[in-house]
Amino acid sequence: MTLLDLNPDQLLSTTRAVRKRLDFTRAVSEDAIRECVAMALQAPSGSNVVTMRFVVVRDAEKRRAIGDVYREVYAGYKASPHYAGARSGDAQSRVASSADHLGEHMGDAPVLVIGCTEGPDRASAKAALGNILPAMWSFMLAARARGLGTAWTSMHLAREREVADLLGIPYDTVAQAVLTPLAHTKGTDFRPAERPSPDSVIHWDTW
């Protein structure tokens, strides 16, 4: 795929969680997915051992089933005191509205990707989650560079075994970490988010 004209800092600062601007009407090519996974596999991994696995879900029935799980888990979150919409402020309201949209439409994305780690047993797989996390961020950066949108979620892990059964993921040896939709974006003009200044979070030499 043709890459967007973004320098490294622009790519890092504008790879956002995309929810309302995902285009559910356009297919995502296998080649684009392979390119993103190839970039993800360049991420650091402990002892240079590749335990990362990517479950790419294109089947409509399976996507709907995962979307149903996500919607139900999200509904529980929405009723909790931790729900972003329960906090005041325009920024929180925008985040809540965007998250609500994805909560209802996760299964409508043309592709869902679940980042996992594999090991000889479940404890080993979970111990290697530090491998899949940077790999999934690299996957998302690669997707952004190709005009594709993603959104980092892990809410489905409340029913991880159910999702494993839906997709034939061997629960005893594979730990899921991240679920993201993958779709072309409506426009590519994403902006950096508001964040604290570096000096407000740096502790020089001691806490």
Side-chain angles (χ1 to χ4, degrees):
M1 291 184 67
T2 302
L3 301 183
L4 300 179
D5 184 18
L6 299 170
N7 67 41
D9 282 359
Q10 289 172 325
L11 179 62
L12 288 164
S13 63
T14 64
T15 300
R16 309 255 52 90
V18 185
R19 303 178 182 100
K20 289 185 175 180
R21 290 176 59 184
L22 295 172
D23 188 345
F24 296 147
T25 67
R26 293 180 63 188
V28 178
S29 73
E30 286 188 9
D31 285 346
I33 297 169
R34 287 191 183 96
E35 289 176 13
C36 292
V37 171
M39 293 299 98
L41 291 174
Q42 293 296 321
S45 59
S47 300
N48 204 33
V49 177
V50 176
T51 64
M52 303 85 87
R53 302 292 183 266
F54 302 84
V55 182
V56 178
V57 186
R58 298 170 300 169
D59 179 83
E61 185 176 343
K62 291 179 179 179
R63 285 188 285 111
R64 278 195 298 270
I66 295 169
D68 289 343
V69 170
Y70 189 84
R71 182 184 303 109
E72 291 165 11
V73 176
Y74 187 86
Y77 158 71
K78 193 172 180 180
S80 78
H82 305 294
Y83 172 56
R87 299 189 288 274
S88 61
D90 290 342
Q92 289 299 324
S93 178
R94 288 193 299 271
V95 169
S97 174
S98 178
D100 290 351
H101 180 79
L102 186 61
E104 287 297 319
H105 295 285
M106 177 69 85
D108 295 332
V111 179
L112 299 177
V113 179
I114 301 178
C116 310
T117 58
E118 185 174 18
D121 51 46
R122 182 153 183 86
S124 300
K126 293 188 75 171
L129 287 175
N131 288 353
I132 189 60
L133 300 182
M136 280 303 291
W137 180 234
S138 290
F139 179 94
M140 292 175 171
L141 291 168
R144 163 67 173 143
R146 289 161 175 77
L148 302 171
T150 58
W152 187 292
T153 77
S154 57
M155 203 167 286
H156 81 288
L157 295 178
R159 289 163 61 179
E160 181 184 358
R161 186 184 285 273
E162 183 177 345
V163 173
D165 290 343
L166 281 169
L167 299 174
I169 299 172
Y171 184 82
D172 291 339
T173 56
V174 176
Q176 300 171 48
V178 180
L179 164 65
T180 181
L182 181 69
H184 290 274
T185 58
K186 298 174 182 178
T188 59
D189 55 330
F190 294 93
R191 296 176 295 179
E194 293 185 12
R195 291 292 188 263
S197 69
D199 283 335
S200 70
V201 297
I202 295 174
H203 302 272
W204 299 102
D205 296 323
T206 187
W207 185 267

